[in-house]
């Protein structure tokens, strides 16, 4: 038996953005530990926006890691919002483009060992430019980049965030193989 048994859980910190819980768990070998669990009250979405042989990415700074990089448009799903609608909204806010089609690609748990975070990735096509990005706090530059350049950009550490690497790799593997 390799399933952990939870004997109790209590909040350590809670906010509208993130929660940290302390779980009293029993491991399969019988040891009991205090395990921290990070919970996100809202689901996360991202979109691989493509037009032919190129993808739409944003250049931004991440203060936590103090890094700059290219990322897919992404964000949280608002309460009661359809995840596909949220992905389309994030594309508009962060890039100034509107998607004609937003289709589910995959859902995964990026931090399954410590977090309940669920991340859903969509494929966006039929993009039209509708104006400047409205979320200027997140976007420094918007660019269409060749899909063929993605491996080099990742190797050069210009794409380093997990959701973007996962989404773009999945798209290249499943759609360009």
């Amino acid at each position: 038996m390799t399933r952990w048994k939870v004997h109790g859980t209590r909040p350590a910190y809670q906010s509208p953005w993130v929660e940290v819980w302390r779980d009293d768990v029993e491991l399969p070998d019988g040891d009991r530990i205090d395990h921290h669990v990070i919970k996100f009250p809202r689901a996360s979405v991202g979109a691989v926006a493509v037009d032919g042989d190129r993808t739409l990415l944003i250049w931004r700074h991440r203060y936590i890691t103090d890094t700059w990089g290219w990322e897919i448009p992404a964000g949280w799903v608002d309460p009661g919002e359809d995840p596909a609608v949220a992905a389309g909204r994030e594309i508009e806010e962060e890039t100034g483009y509107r998607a004609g089609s937003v289709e589910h690609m995959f859902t995964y748990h990026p931090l399954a060992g410590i977090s309940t975070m669920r991340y859903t990735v969509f494929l966006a096509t039929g993009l039209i430019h509708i104006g400047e990005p409205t979320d200027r706090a997140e976007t420094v530059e918007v660019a269409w980049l060749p899909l063929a350049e993605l491996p080099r950009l990742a190797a050069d550490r210009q794409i380093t965030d997990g959701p973007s690497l996962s989404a773009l790799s999945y798209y290249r593997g499943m759609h360009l193989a």
Side-chain angles (χ1 to χ4, degrees), residues 79-100:
E81 186 178 31
D82 179 271
V85 171
R89 175 181 48 75
E90 290 294 337
I91 293 168
E92 286 189 30
E93 290 174 1
E94 295 180 2
T95 71
Y97 282 80
R98 179 171 293 147

Side-chain angles (χ1 to χ4, degrees), residues 88-161:
R89 175 181 48 75
E90 290 294 337
I91 293 168
E92 286 189 30
E93 290 174 1
E94 295 180 2
T95 71
Y97 282 80
R98 179 171 293 147
S101 173
V102 178
E103 298 176 25
H104 180 266
M105 279 203 305
F106 66 102
T107 300
Y108 73 110
H109 297 275
L111 303 165
I114 196 165
S115 175
T116 62
M117 178 185 236
R118 187 181 78 243
Y119 200 98
T120 302
V121 179
F122 294 88
L123 174 62
T125 56
L127 290 113
I128 58 169
H129 189 256
I130 60 169
E132 291 300 310
T134 57
D135 193 349
R136 296 308 295 183
E138 298 208 29
T139 305
V140 174
E141 180 182 352
V142 176
W144 285 100
L145 300 175
L147 290 163
E149 288 293 309
L150 296 177
R152 182 192 60 77
L153 292 170
D156 290 347
R157 300 190 49 78
Q158 292 185 51
I159 303 173
T160 60
D161 80 291

Side-chain angles (χ1 to χ4, degrees), residues 7-48:
H7 292 282
T9 186
R10 63 192 183 280
Y13 173 80
Q14 293 178 290
S15 80
W17 299 279
V18 67
E19 300 174 359
V20 179
W21 289 73
R22 292 177 62 173
D23 290 358
D24 172 17
V25 296
E26 182 177 339
L27 304 179
D29 65 5
D31 285 346
R32 281 179 76 160
I33 63 169
D34 208 23
H35 188 41
H36 291 82
V37 178
I38 303 168
K39 296 182 180 184
F40 293 91
R42 296 186 282 175
S44 296
V45 295
V48 176

